[in-house]
Every structure is written in C-alpha cells, then in structure tokens.
Amino acid sequence: MTDAITITMPDDWHLHVRDGDMMRAALPFTAEKFGRAIMMPNLVPPVATAIDALAYRERILAALPADSRFTPLMTCYLTDDTDPDDVERGFAEGIFTGVKLYPANATTNSAAGVTDFARIRPVLERMQKIGMPLLIHAEVVDPDIDVFDREAVFIERVFEPWTRDFPELRFIHEHLSTSIGCDFVRSKSGQVGGTITPYHLELNRTDWLGSGNRPYMYCMPVIKTEADRRALRKAATGGESCFFLGTDSAPHSIHKKLAIVGAAGLFNAPVAIETYAKVFEEENALDRLEAFASLNGPAHYRLPPNEGTITLERQTWTAPEEIVVPGPEERALVYRGGEAIAWKVAQVSFQDAGRG
Ligand code: DOR
Ligand code: ZN
C-alpha cells in the first residue's frame, strides 16, 4: 500500500473564489496547495474586459500572503458585446489566459452571458487566429430540454459544430458531468480538453436526492447517474491526456445555499486534491494522479508544468464543516465537511526538491 505520493505541483483549471471578504476567506485553501488556478470571471458585474481582469488580478494578488508563489490565471467573461480587439490585447499582454463562455442564465452569475451564439463568432475567429483557448460551460438553457440532458444537447447543437467550424480553436469542456461528454472530449482529443470536478467523481444523483435533499450537493451541471459517475472516474484515472483537474470550487454563503431557491456550487477547495487522491487510489491509479493534476492541463493550455512538488500522505484528518467569512456572507459550507479525509498534503516545495 502506498503511504505517500509526491507529484509535480498541481494546478486548478477551474476555480471560483469570488471577491472581497469571500475571496480572502476562500483563496488560501487553493493558494497553499496549487501552483496556478484559472479564476472564473462570473463576478457581479462580470470580469468582461482586460481592464476588469487586471483589476481583479490585483485584488487577488493583494489577498495572498506575502510569500505566496500562487499565480492566478485570468479569464474574460464572454458577452454578446465582447470586443475581439480587447480580447486580443488582453491575451497579448498576458492578462487573459482564456475566454469563458456562459450561455446566459445557465448557472450562478451568468445573466450577462451569451444569449445569441451567432454574435460571438467574430470573437471565436480572433481567438482561433491568436491561439487563445475557449472555456465552455457546455449546457443549453432551452426550457424544453430536461436539466439532465443539457450537456448532451449542447454538444450536439453547439459544441460539435464549432469544433468543425473552428478547427484550430482550442476548447475546454468545463466540469464534465456525463458519459456522453467524456466520449465527446475523447473523440476531439487535442482540440478539446475536459476538466473534471471532485464531486462529479464522487457523487451520483441518488446521493444528492435519494435520502433527503442535500443542497450542498447542488451544482451546475447537476450531478448525474451512477453510470455517468463511473464514466467520469474512468476518464479521469485512465491516463488520457485530454482530461485534467478543475475543481469548480464555488463558495456561497450558507444562507444562499440553503434558501428556497438555493445557489448552485460546492466549496471543495479545502479537500480538493485530497479527494482526487482518494478517487485515484480507489481506482488503483495513484500513479496517474500526477498527469491528471499537474501535466495534462498545462499541456492543453500550452504552458509549462509547475516546478515545485506536493507530497500527499496517508493521514486522516477531519474537514471543517464550514469556513467563517467576515461580513454579511457569514459562513460557507465545505464539501465533505465533517468527514474523515484519508489523504493530507504533508509537504509543499517550490523547487523540484521533494523527489528522492
Ligand atoms: O455549480 C456551479 N456554481 N456551477 C457553475 O457553473 C458556477 C458556479 C458558481 O459560480 O457558483
Ligand atoms: Zn464553475
């Protein structure tokens, strides 16, 4: 039995930390264990221009401890009116790493998202030209489509045609939730990468709804069937380079999570890398954790892997049930809060010194 594993320092290719007090409370959980993270732009108002992203990046950097080596990677929130020149400038100046597409009203803080896909084609053409990746919340919002079918229908109606219309554009299918989604990414490997969250690997919809409604398991895309969960585990742990780590850690105040209309999103950053380690161990694939967590993502984004390492040890600890947030947000529930967590990050090293 493996009791410790050292891997290249991982990155989180999909993270929400919000802003202000919530950001200051949530960010350290990621910054202490990951080298970089793609910062989601769905603030209110959204991070929609290079100027917005520069200011948001400054606020994130100011919230980090002075000795932190964490790098936030910024994204542009795509709207019907996004200016291709601003996108290009932001990318050329190293402010933007990618553009994030939310279909309008698909999820939390997506009201300013895209309402008409025809209108964003000039932006996609420009991104294709300059080699800038497009991150997609791949769900339709058509009210006639069942919530469990949103991902599959988006692939059929929008995503698959785009991969042919924009053959040189690199895509990321964010937070894969279905077996169909995994097969789609696989079929477009190289052009399309897919991130997978810890909770889509751990939960099925019976866990979420089968014995009481568990609002802390509510997220978008919603948790699917056991067959989907198994397909996602196979994708994550199977060693295919098109799949990589993206936690979609998304803190909400407890009153927004537990409201009559509850907010979608799970705050998993405190237990994220530990939960992936658990899943990989269960699938007998701990030797593939490094590729998923630390190598496949940078390769798809065409960035070098981090130089440091982290060491996970088999050590049981209890996840906090919630974090305290100063100000009106008050508290945020933690995914797997109160559970015994089997793996612990025992060492973080910024040079490649952790390997012996
Ligand atoms: O569950 C989700 N929460 N899915 C998303 O796509 C957004 C996120 C959030 O911002 O809370
Ligand atoms: Zn997200």
Side-chain angles (χ1 to χ4, degrees):
M1 188 157 74
T2 311
D3 287 326
I5 171 173
T6 296
I7 60 170
T8 300
M9 185 172 289
D11 298 303
D12 185 348
W13 297 100
H14 186 132
L15 178 70
H16 304 262
V17 292
R18 319 300 184 197
D19 211 344
D21 290 329
M22 184 65 94
M23 172 180 69
R24 283 185 284 276
L27 179 63
F29 291 97
T30 299
E32 69 189 14
K33 299 176 198 167
F34 290 83
R36 298 165 288 197
I38 285 274
M39 313 309 292
M40 285 294 139
N42 62 333
L43 307 183
V44 184
V47 181
T49 65
I51 286 179
D52 295 342
L54 200 55
Y56 185 34
R57 183 166 72 185
E58 288 305 314
R59 297 198 296 280
I60 293 167
L61 292 173
L64 291 168
D67 61 347
S68 174
R69 306 281 285 271
F70 173 79
T71 304
L73 303 175
M74 311 311 292
T75 49
C76 170
Y77 185 116
L78 192 54
T79 71
D80 289 346
D81 301 314
T82 298
D83 173 4
D85 291 338
D86 184 65
V87 167
E88 177 166 1
R89 207 174 314 119
F91 188 57
E93 289 176 10
I95 301 167
F96 288 140
T97 297
V99 170
K100 175 69 190 266
L101 163 60
Y102 291 102
N105 302 316
T107 185
T108 306
N109 300 346
S110 62
V114 176
T115 66
D116 177 359
F117 295 134
R119 290 193 46 181
I120 59 164
R121 290 182 85 91
V123 181
L124 305 193
E125 268 154 28
R126 185 71 64 88
M127 293 169 67
Q128 169 168 257
K129 191 166 147 226
I130 64 177
M132 184 179 188
L134 176 66
L135 297 73
I136 304 187
H137 184 111
E139 292 196 288
V140 291
V141 291
D142 180 343
D144 292 338
I145 302 299
D146 188 273
V147 67
F148 287 95
D149 297 330
R150 284 179 179 178
E151 184 169 294
V153 175
F154 187 93
I155 290 168
E156 187 188 309
R157 289 187 187 170
V158 185
F159 211 157
E160 207 283 329
W162 276 354
T163 60
R164 285 183 279 111
D165 293 354
F166 303 98
E168 303 300 324
L169 182 57
R170 246 169 323 121
F171 299 89
I172 298 96
H173 186 142
E174 302 282 88
H175 39 53
L176 282 160
S177 70
T178 60
S179 161
I180 289 173
C182 295
D183 286 342
F184 169 67
V185 170
R186 227 175 238 127
S187 75
K188 303 281 178 179
S189 184
Q191 187 183 13
V192 183
T195 59
I196 306 181
T197 76
Y199 50 83
H200 286 102
L201 292 170
E202 284 258 281
L203 304 173
N204 64 33
R205 64 193 189 185
T206 307
D207 298 319
W208 168 30
L209 298 167
S211 56
N213 170 25
R214 294 174 191 253
Y216 78 90
M217 295 184 185
Y218 174 59
C219 56
M220 283 290 177
V222 292
I223 302 290
K224 306 283 189 321
T225 66
E226 176 60 8
D228 290 309
R229 188 184 75 98
R230 282 177 192 275
L232 288 158
R233 286 170 83 96
K234 191 155 171 264
T237 63
E240 295 163 273
S241 61
C242 52
F243 299 111
F244 44 91
L245 186 158
T247 64
D248 200 9
S249 180
H252 288 281
S253 67
I254 203 161
H255 36 267
K256 284 187 194 144
K257 268 314 274 176
L258 303 184
I260 297 291
V261 179
L266 311 184
F267 177 46
N268 63 45
V271 297
I273 191 67
E274 298 83 352
T275 304
Y276 287 115
K278 169 177 183 276
V279 169
F280 275 69
E281 179 174 38
E282 286 162 358
E283 298 295 325
N284 243 326
L286 267 180
D287 57 333
R288 294 186 178 146
L289 179 62
E290 181 176 50
F292 177 79
S294 318
L295 305 178
N296 297 348
H300 191 73
Y301 274 88
R302 304 204 176 142
L303 294 169
N306 292 309
E307 285 186 354
T309 58
I310 64 165
T311 300
L312 287 142
E313 281 181 9
R314 187 184 303 287
Q315 220 188 101
T316 304
W317 58 288
T318 306
E321 288 187 12
E322 57 187 38
I323 58 162
V324 175
V325 185
E329 305 270 34
E330 292 177 1
R331 294 179 291 145
L333 285 170
V334 175
Y335 174 60
R336 300 187 67 199
E339 262 187 53
I341 308 295
W343 289 91
K344 191 161 201 280
V345 175
Q347 204 190 324
V348 176
S349 156
F350 289 99
Q351 261 96 48
D352 200 5
R355 289 152 193 273

